[in-house]
Amino acid sequence: MSGTRTADRAEADPHRWWGLVVIALAQLMVVLDATIVNIALPSAQHALHMSDGNRQWVITAYTLAFGGLLLLGGRIADLVGRRRTFVIGLVGFAAASALGGAATTAGMLFGARALQGVFAAVLAPSALSLMTTTFTDPKERGKAFGIYGALAGSGSAIGFILGGLLTEYLDWRWCLYVNVPIAIVGVIGALTLLHDRPGHADARLDVPGVLLGCGGLVSIVYGFSEAQPRGWTDSMVLGLFAAGVVLLATFVWWQTRAPVPLLPLHIVKDRNRAGCFLTMGLAVIGMFGLFLFMTYYLQVVLAYSPVKTGLAFLPLTASIIVGSTQVSARLLPRLAPRALMAPGALLASGGMVVLTQLTVDSDYATHILPALILMGLGMGMIFMPVFSTATAGVAPQDSGVTSATVNTSQQVGGSIGTALLNTVATTTSSAYLTAHLASGGDRALIAKQAVVHGYTVAIWWAAGIMFLAGIVAALMVKAKPTAHGAAPARPVPESVA
């Protein structure tokens, strides 16, 4: 009987592996766009006359809109239809990218980046839910999610490489224009290769849930982004955190009473899914902050060019891909997810500890490279099991919102990590500078040492948070190996019959 279902699915969707390429391409575009403009930011700041205080909005506008609206995007995917939402997200993302590339003022660029985040919030959950309903056989699912997890984990590093190449050899605007041809290929592929049942047009959105949930997430992420320039005790920062907590608490209360809840609480009440969401959020807090520090360390401290900086991340990208496709995808059918996630977090944390020993003249080959390889393998062992376990066995009508919750934990974790660790680094650097300048000496050298000291202290925090992610995975994720009856997905095949 199960063999018949597998054969029927293959007959109904013979091009599903090409469809995976389309889905993965769209996911790669969304993930790398969170970082591709980082290396181009100095050029964009000069061209559009941004102040140092306002330049952060090129990054923050994107992550705020993305992280804050993902739950809404997931529910829209369930109501309207996953393929239709996927195509709408691609078209909107391309248009917003073209607008940003053509920006003539800072405000125009900020607005375009926010619009990119809005359409990314529509695109990302529909992409993951299409994966969930297309690949249900445990062996196929492991391979597919291995590829997907590798792209999700390496997309940020690829963004740095591509951003460096485009900025150095073309223009910073191409860091945005590059999304247009990618989206065109994605739309053609989606209309040709992807299949999905129509959405539930008669259903309604949970409008109060949208306002409460999205408002709470935006408030908290905005609070973390403002903590760096204003300080943690600033009244506005504390007010944003308080408002976010109140809004999210009210959101949870409302979801128990809403006729059609935005986030059905049974999704997060499941121990395995809750553990996956929390593990992902904690792991990405450490990883995103580290990307920021290593970019500035390589360019400012070691004086690497944009291209050389991007290439320096290649071993990290390659290691994430190996960890996802060659380690996790092969072992997940035989090992419990936590047997991959917890050791992966330990490996990544160990790599970060190595980087806490950075100095103003550390050698790349003997110091930085081994740490990047450890971190990449570890993150690859986390991402793939998280995506696969969190979305396994979800009813078709909930696949979009479940996918959105995975992406929300990733995006909000990245936003929090960047703001939190950047604040730790800058405050530590300032304290070091004040203490050492008074004793005299080479001011330029002391200033550089202060910057590196701030980075290493923040990396210690990142290592601790990554270690905590491993503890959470070990204690909360109790799913069994997929080859031994874990995560049955009986409701899911019905949606792709």
Side-chain angles (χ1 to χ4, degrees):
M1 185 76 112
S2 93
T4 303
R5 282 199 301 269
T6 302
D8 290 344
R9 186 180 63 253
E11 184 179 351
D13 192 11
H15 304 299
R16 59 191 179 281
W17 289 104
W18 283 109
L20 171 63
V21 174
V22 175
I23 295 170
L25 187 67
Q27 176 68 11
L28 176 63
M29 181 179 69
V30 168
V31 174
L32 69 81
D33 220 74
T35 57
I36 193 172
V37 299
N38 278 23
I39 293 177
L41 188 52
S43 300
Q45 180 181 359
H46 181 265
L48 301 180
H49 310 292
M50 299 178 209
S51 67
D52 288 345
N54 286 335
R55 66 185 177 186
Q56 65 161 327
W57 286 105
V58 176
I59 308 298
T60 308
Y62 181 80
T63 55
L64 272 176
F66 194 3
L69 297 174
L70 267 166
L71 285 175
L72 174 61
R75 184 50 76 191
I76 290 175
D78 288 332
L79 300 183
V80 177
R82 299 169 190 90
R83 189 179 74 162
R84 183 182 301 173
T85 307
F86 185 78
V87 171
I88 291 171
L90 281 170
V91 172
F93 197 90
S97 299
L99 179 65
T104 55
T105 65
M108 185 175 174
L109 180 58
F110 299 158
R113 288 288 287 167
L115 199 58
Q116 277 186 304
V118 171
F119 284 105
V122 173
L123 179 60
S126 59
L128 187 53
S129 58
L130 280 168
M131 284 273 296
T132 303
T133 54
T134 300
F135 295 95
T136 55
D137 178 80
K139 290 183 179 179
E140 286 192 352
R141 186 181 180 88
K143 293 177 183 177
F145 274 90
I147 296 170
Y148 188 89
L151 287 172
S154 62
S156 297
I158 293 172
F160 285 121
I161 298 168
L162 192 56
L165 290 169
L166 293 173
T167 301
E168 189 158 329
Y169 294 113
L170 291 175
D171 184 77
W172 68 267
R173 297 179 183 276
W174 278 96
C175 290
L176 294 161
Y177 287 145
V178 70
N179 293 319
V180 176
I182 296 175
I184 290 173
V185 172
V187 169
I188 295 172
L191 295 176
T192 306
L193 299 168
L194 299 180
H195 305 283
D196 184 38
R197 282 185 172 182
H200 306 281
D202 56 335
R204 294 183 301 171
L205 285 174
D206 173 20
V207 177
V210 170
L211 296 176
L212 291 168
C214 295
L217 287 173
V218 168
S219 183
I220 288 177
V221 174
Y222 185 32
F224 274 106
S225 71
E226 287 296 301
Q228 190 272 326
R230 294 175 178 271
W232 292 102
T233 58
D234 181 81
S235 58
M236 179 180 175
V237 173
L238 294 176
L240 285 167
F241 287 148
V245 170
V246 170
L247 286 170
L248 290 179
T250 308
F251 169 78
V252 173
W253 170 83
W254 171 250
Q255 294 308 285
T256 64
R257 290 160 175 77
V260 185
L262 179 67
L263 176 62
L265 292 183
H266 65 264
I267 290 175
V268 293
K269 284 181 179 178
D270 179 88
R271 178 171 182 162
N272 289 316
R273 291 193 189 100
C276 286
F277 298 150
L278 188 54
T279 299
M280 173 65 85
L282 290 170
V284 174
I285 284 176
M287 188 182 74
F288 264 55
L290 193 73
F291 279 151
L292 180 68
F293 300 139
M294 290 308 300
T295 301
Y296 276 94
Y297 177 78
L298 292 171
Q299 287 198 64
V300 176
V301 179
L302 298 187
Y304 281 21
S305 68
V307 170
K308 190 174 180 180
T309 299
L311 293 175
F313 281 102
L314 271 178
L316 175 68
T317 305
S319 298
I320 291 175
I321 293 172
V322 170
S324 290
T325 62
Q326 302 304 311
V327 179
S328 293
R330 293 175 182 272
L331 295 180
L332 189 59
R334 297 187 293 276
L335 292 179
R338 64 176 175 174
L340 291 167
M341 293 160 63
L346 188 61
L347 270 179
S349 180
M352 292 176 179
V353 170
V354 173
L355 288 179
T356 62
Q357 307 306 308
L358 287 175
T359 66
V360 294
D361 56 359
S362 291
D363 182 70
Y364 177 83
T366 59
H367 195 158
I368 300 171
L369 179 61
L372 294 180
I373 292 174
L374 284 175
M375 288 188 295
L377 289 173
M379 291 306 299
M381 292 170 65
I382 295 173
F383 274 117
M384 185 269 172
V386 163
F387 282 125
S388 181
T389 306
T391 57
V394 179
Q397 65 270 22
D398 290 331
S399 65
V401 72
T402 304
S403 304
T405 308
V406 178
N407 280 283
T408 297
S409 64
Q410 183 179 7
Q411 197 58 226
V412 173
S415 301
I416 291 173
T418 300
L420 169 65
L421 298 178
N422 194 47
T423 299
V424 171
T426 52
T427 54
T428 306
S429 293
S430 297
Y432 183 97
L433 197 60
T434 302
H436 288 75
L437 279 179
S439 62
D442 186 340
R443 296 178 66 89
L445 178 60
I446 292 173
K448 189 177 287 190
Q449 289 172 336
V451 169
V452 175
H453 177 69
Y455 293 166
T456 57
V457 172
I459 292 171
W460 270 115
W461 279 68
I465 294 170
M466 184 67 73
F467 186 75
L468 180 60
I471 294 175
V472 168
L475 296 179
M476 291 188 65
V477 181
K478 300 293 186 181
K480 297 178 181 178
T482 54
H484 295 85
R490 295 208 177 263
V492 177
E494 298 174 8
S495 68
V496 287

